[in-house]
Amino acid sequence: MKQRLAQLIAQTDLEVTDQQVEQLVGYVALLHKWNKAYNLTSVRDPQDMLVKHIMDSIVVSTHLDGERFIDVGTGPGLPGIPLAIMNPNKDFTLLDSLGKRIRFIRQVIHELGIENVTPVQSRVEEFQPEVGFDAVLSRAFASMNDMVSWCHHLPNRDGCFMALKGQFNQQEVEELPEWCSVTEVKSLQVPELEGERHLVILTAKD
Protein backbone atom coordinates (compact mmCIF):
# COMPACT_ATOMS: atom_id res chain seq x y z
CA MET A 1 0.00 0.00 0.00
CA LYS A 2 2.90 2.35 0.70
CA GLN A 3 4.16 1.94 -2.84
CA ARG A 4 0.70 2.61 -4.26
CA LEU A 5 0.28 5.77 -2.17
CA ALA A 6 3.74 6.97 -3.22
CA GLN A 7 2.74 6.50 -6.88
CA LEU A 8 -0.41 8.58 -6.35
CA ILE A 9 1.46 11.34 -4.51
CA ALA A 10 4.06 11.43 -7.30
CA GLN A 11 1.27 12.63 -9.63
CA THR A 12 0.88 15.81 -7.53
CA ASP A 13 3.14 18.65 -6.35
CA LEU A 14 2.87 17.51 -2.72
CA GLU A 15 5.98 16.84 -0.67
CA VAL A 16 5.45 13.93 1.71
CA THR A 17 8.00 12.38 4.07
CA ASP A 18 8.42 8.65 4.65
CA GLN A 19 6.93 9.05 8.12
CA GLN A 20 3.86 10.80 6.69
CA VAL A 21 3.38 7.98 4.17
CA GLU A 22 3.63 5.48 7.05
CA GLN A 23 0.99 7.39 9.04
CA LEU A 24 -1.37 7.80 6.07
CA VAL A 25 -1.17 4.10 5.24
CA GLY A 26 -1.54 3.28 8.94
CA TYR A 27 -4.71 5.35 9.03
CA VAL A 28 -6.16 3.45 6.06
CA ALA A 29 -5.31 0.13 7.75
CA LEU A 30 -7.11 1.19 10.95
CA LEU A 31 -10.08 2.52 9.01
CA HIS A 32 -10.36 -0.76 7.11
CA LYS A 33 -10.11 -2.78 10.34
CA TRP A 34 -12.66 -0.74 12.30
CA ASN A 35 -14.99 -0.39 9.33
CA LYS A 36 -15.92 -4.08 9.51
CA ALA A 37 -17.51 -3.59 12.93
CA TYR A 38 -18.43 0.10 13.03
CA ASN A 39 -19.39 0.93 9.43
CA LEU A 40 -17.43 4.20 9.37
CA THR A 41 -17.28 4.61 5.60
CA SER A 42 -19.06 3.17 2.57
CA VAL A 43 -15.67 2.74 0.86
CA ARG A 44 -14.68 -0.86 1.63
CA ASP A 45 -11.49 -1.46 -0.34
CA PRO A 46 -8.28 0.01 1.18
CA GLN A 47 -6.96 0.71 -2.33
CA ASP A 48 -10.05 2.81 -3.03
CA MET A 49 -9.60 4.56 0.33
CA LEU A 50 -6.17 5.74 -0.80
CA VAL A 51 -7.78 7.67 -3.67
CA LYS A 52 -11.21 8.61 -2.31
CA HIS A 53 -10.15 9.43 1.25
CA ILE A 54 -6.41 10.09 1.45
CA MET A 55 -5.67 11.81 -1.86
CA ASP A 56 -9.03 13.59 -1.90
CA SER A 57 -8.12 15.08 1.51
CA ILE A 58 -4.43 15.89 1.17
CA VAL A 59 -4.75 17.81 -2.12
CA VAL A 60 -6.30 20.56 0.06
CA SER A 61 -3.10 20.75 2.11
CA THR A 62 -1.40 23.47 0.07
CA HIS A 63 -4.43 25.76 0.45
CA LEU A 64 -4.43 25.90 4.26
CA ASP A 65 -3.58 29.39 5.51
CA GLY A 66 -3.38 29.82 9.26
CA GLU A 67 -2.67 27.71 12.34
CA ARG A 68 -6.00 26.51 13.74
CA PHE A 69 -8.56 24.51 11.79
CA ILE A 70 -11.80 22.70 12.57
CA ASP A 71 -13.19 19.82 10.51
CA VAL A 72 -16.95 19.79 11.04
CA GLY A 73 -18.85 16.53 10.55
CA THR A 74 -15.50 14.80 10.30
CA GLY A 75 -16.94 11.27 10.30
CA PRO A 76 -13.98 8.92 10.72
CA GLY A 77 -11.59 11.89 10.48
CA LEU A 78 -11.90 13.12 6.90
CA PRO A 79 -10.32 15.35 5.73
CA GLY A 80 -8.96 16.21 9.20
CA ILE A 81 -6.68 13.25 9.95
CA PRO A 82 -4.85 13.20 6.57
CA LEU A 83 -4.48 17.00 6.71
CA ALA A 84 -3.14 16.85 10.28
CA ILE A 85 -0.58 14.25 9.19
CA MET A 86 0.45 16.51 6.30
CA ASN A 87 0.64 19.62 8.51
CA PRO A 88 2.20 18.64 11.86
CA ASN A 89 2.73 22.32 12.77
CA LYS A 90 -0.97 23.21 12.48
CA ASP A 91 -3.72 22.35 14.98
CA PHE A 92 -6.87 20.49 13.98
CA THR A 93 -10.11 20.09 15.94
CA LEU A 94 -12.23 17.20 14.61
CA LEU A 95 -15.91 17.56 15.44
CA ASP A 96 -18.57 14.88 15.12
CA SER A 97 -21.74 14.06 17.04
CA LEU A 98 -21.34 10.26 16.91
CA GLY A 99 -19.39 8.60 19.71
CA LYS A 100 -18.15 5.65 17.64
CA ARG A 101 -16.46 8.02 15.19
CA ILE A 102 -14.75 10.02 17.93
CA ARG A 103 -13.61 6.79 19.64
CA PHE A 104 -12.09 5.69 16.35
CA ILE A 105 -10.28 9.03 15.91
CA ARG A 106 -8.90 8.80 19.48
CA GLN A 107 -7.56 5.32 18.66
CA VAL A 108 -5.97 6.61 15.44
CA ILE A 109 -4.15 9.49 17.09
CA HIS A 110 -2.98 7.17 19.89
CA GLU A 111 -1.70 4.39 17.60
CA LEU A 112 -0.14 6.67 14.97
CA GLY A 113 1.32 9.22 17.41
CA ILE A 114 -0.52 12.20 15.96
CA GLU A 115 -0.16 15.12 18.39
CA ASN A 116 -1.96 17.97 16.62
CA VAL A 117 -5.55 16.64 16.63
CA THR A 118 -8.25 17.33 19.23
CA PRO A 119 -11.34 15.10 18.81
CA VAL A 120 -14.62 16.61 20.06
CA GLN A 121 -17.95 14.81 20.31
CA SER A 122 -20.65 17.46 19.93
CA ARG A 123 -23.35 18.75 17.65
CA VAL A 124 -21.92 21.69 15.76
CA GLU A 125 -24.52 24.18 17.01
CA GLU A 126 -23.70 23.26 20.63
CA PHE A 127 -19.92 23.53 20.29
CA GLN A 128 -18.67 26.88 21.56
CA PRO A 129 -14.90 27.25 21.15
CA GLU A 130 -13.06 29.72 23.38
CA VAL A 131 -11.11 30.96 20.37
CA GLY A 132 -12.29 31.07 16.75
CA PHE A 133 -10.61 29.14 13.96
CA ASP A 134 -8.62 30.32 10.95
CA ALA A 135 -10.72 28.06 8.74
CA VAL A 136 -13.74 25.80 9.04
CA LEU A 137 -13.33 22.73 6.82
CA SER A 138 -15.98 20.27 5.79
CA ARG A 139 -16.88 17.79 3.12
CA ALA A 140 -19.95 16.57 5.05
CA PHE A 141 -22.56 19.22 4.30
CA ALA A 142 -25.13 18.81 1.53
CA SER A 143 -25.05 22.52 0.73
CA MET A 144 -22.78 25.49 1.40
CA ASN A 145 -25.78 27.32 2.86
CA ASP A 146 -26.12 24.58 5.48
CA MET A 147 -22.41 24.74 6.22
CA VAL A 148 -22.16 28.48 6.83
CA SER A 149 -25.49 28.61 8.67
CA TRP A 150 -24.58 25.82 11.10
CA CYS A 151 -20.95 26.91 11.52
CA HIS A 152 -21.21 30.71 11.45
CA HIS A 153 -19.93 30.96 15.06
CA LEU A 154 -16.72 28.99 14.46
CA PRO A 155 -14.32 31.14 12.37
CA ASN A 156 -12.31 33.93 13.96
CA ARG A 157 -12.63 37.50 12.69
CA ASP A 158 -10.38 36.88 9.69
CA GLY A 159 -11.33 33.23 9.31
CA CYS A 160 -13.01 31.54 6.37
CA PHE A 161 -15.06 28.50 5.42
CA MET A 162 -13.52 25.86 3.15
CA ALA A 163 -16.09 23.57 1.56
CA LEU A 164 -14.85 20.45 -0.24
CA LYS A 165 -17.28 19.86 -3.07
CA GLY A 166 -17.64 17.76 -6.19
CA GLN A 167 -19.06 19.91 -8.96
CA PHE A 168 -19.25 23.63 -8.32
CA ASN A 169 -22.93 24.53 -8.20
CA GLN A 170 -23.85 28.15 -8.95
CA GLN A 171 -27.32 27.67 -7.49
CA GLU A 172 -25.74 26.89 -4.12
CA VAL A 173 -23.98 30.26 -4.28
CA GLU A 174 -27.28 32.05 -4.94
CA GLU A 175 -28.82 30.36 -1.88
CA LEU A 176 -26.13 31.63 0.50
CA PRO A 177 -27.19 34.02 3.28
CA GLU A 178 -26.56 37.70 2.62
CA TRP A 179 -23.73 37.97 5.15
CA CYS A 180 -21.58 35.41 3.34
CA SER A 181 -19.94 35.29 -0.10
CA VAL A 182 -17.69 33.04 -2.16
CA THR A 183 -14.23 34.56 -2.43
CA GLU A 184 -12.44 31.81 -4.34
CA VAL A 185 -13.12 28.53 -6.13
CA LYS A 186 -10.14 26.23 -6.63
CA SER A 187 -10.30 23.24 -8.94
CA LEU A 188 -8.59 20.27 -7.28
CA GLN A 189 -6.77 17.56 -9.20
CA VAL A 190 -7.09 14.22 -7.41
CA PRO A 191 -5.09 11.46 -9.14
CA GLU A 192 -7.29 8.61 -10.41
CA LEU A 193 -10.49 10.04 -8.92
CA GLU A 194 -13.44 10.16 -11.30
CA GLY A 195 -15.47 13.35 -11.39
CA GLU A 196 -14.70 16.96 -10.49
CA ARG A 197 -13.44 18.20 -7.14
CA HIS A 198 -13.50 21.80 -5.97
CA LEU A 199 -12.46 23.73 -2.90
CA VAL A 200 -14.84 26.64 -2.31
CA ILE A 201 -13.63 29.37 0.04
CA LEU A 202 -16.29 31.55 1.65
CA THR A 203 -15.97 34.53 3.98
CA ALA A 204 -18.29 36.79 5.92
CA LYS A 205 -18.77 40.20 4.37
CA ASP A 206 -17.53 43.11 6.48
Side-chain angles (χ1 to χ4, degrees):
M1 224 170 17
K2 275 187 240 176
Q3 193 178 359
R4 167 90 172 117
L5 181 57
Q7 288 170 344
L8 290 165
I9 290 167
Q11 298 175 53
T12 71
D13 296 331
L14 294 167
E15 293 179 17
V16 188
T17 66
D18 290 346
Q19 184 193 359
Q20 287 168 326
V21 170
E22 290 269 357
Q23 287 178 313
L24 290 166
V25 168
Y27 171 65
V28 169
L30 284 168
L31 186 55
H32 180 58
K33 179 178 155 188
W34 276 58
N35 206 33
K36 293 169 186 169
Y38 288 93
N39 199 24
L40 296 166
T41 167
S42 59
V43 182
R44 298 287 172 204
D45 183 345
Q47 299 290 342
D48 289 342
M49 287 180 190
L50 290 176
V51 174
K52 293 178 179 175
H53 288 337
I54 301 300
M55 295 307 301
D56 192 44
S57 296
I58 67 175
V59 291
V60 177
S61 190
T62 54
H63 303 294
L64 297 182
D65 290 328
E67 304 298 321
R68 299 181 71 251
F69 300 86
I70 183 167
D71 175 12
V72 177
T74 187
L78 295 162
I81 293 278
L83 287 174
I85 290 170
M86 292 291 291
N87 297 274
N89 299 323
K90 299 180 189 289
D91 290 317
F92 293 83
T93 297
L94 272 54
L95 186 77
D96 203 276
S97 60
L98 273 190
K100 67 177 182 180
R101 294 172 181 161
I102 295 300
R103 281 194 297 278
F104 169 69
I105 290 167
R106 286 200 179 108
Q107 188 67 23
V108 166
I109 61 182
H110 170 70
E111 287 200 30
L112 301 181
I114 299 170
E115 296 176 350
N116 57 332
V117 167
T118 305
V120 176
Q121 184 184 345
S122 174
R123 293 165 65 89
V124 63
E125 65 271 27
E126 291 164 6
F127 178 61
Q128 298 293 336
E130 289 178 20
V131 183
F133 295 91
D134 295 317
V136 178
L137 290 155
S138 188
R139 64 177 205 171
F141 286 96
S143 75
M144 292 188 292
N145 183 25
D146 284 352
M147 179 181 178
V148 299
S149 299
W150 288 99
C151 305
H152 64 90
H153 60 297
L154 296 177
N156 61 30
R157 201 168 147 254
D158 300 317
C160 67
F161 301 93
M162 304 179 83
L164 280 72
K165 306 293 289 183
Q167 290 182 316
F168 178 63
N169 185 336
Q170 188 60 40
Q171 188 180 345
E172 275 192 59
V173 178
E174 287 158 17
E175 290 168 357
L176 286 169
E178 283 194 0
W179 59 266
C180 180
S181 62
V182 173
T183 49
E184 209 168 348
V185 181
K186 299 174 186 280
S187 179
L188 301 173
Q189 304 303 318
V190 184
E192 298 182 29
L193 185 71
E194 290 180 16
E196 296 176 32
R197 297 301 283 161
H198 290 90
L199 176 64
V200 184
I201 299 176
L202 309 101
T203 53
K205 298 173 184 171
D206 291 333

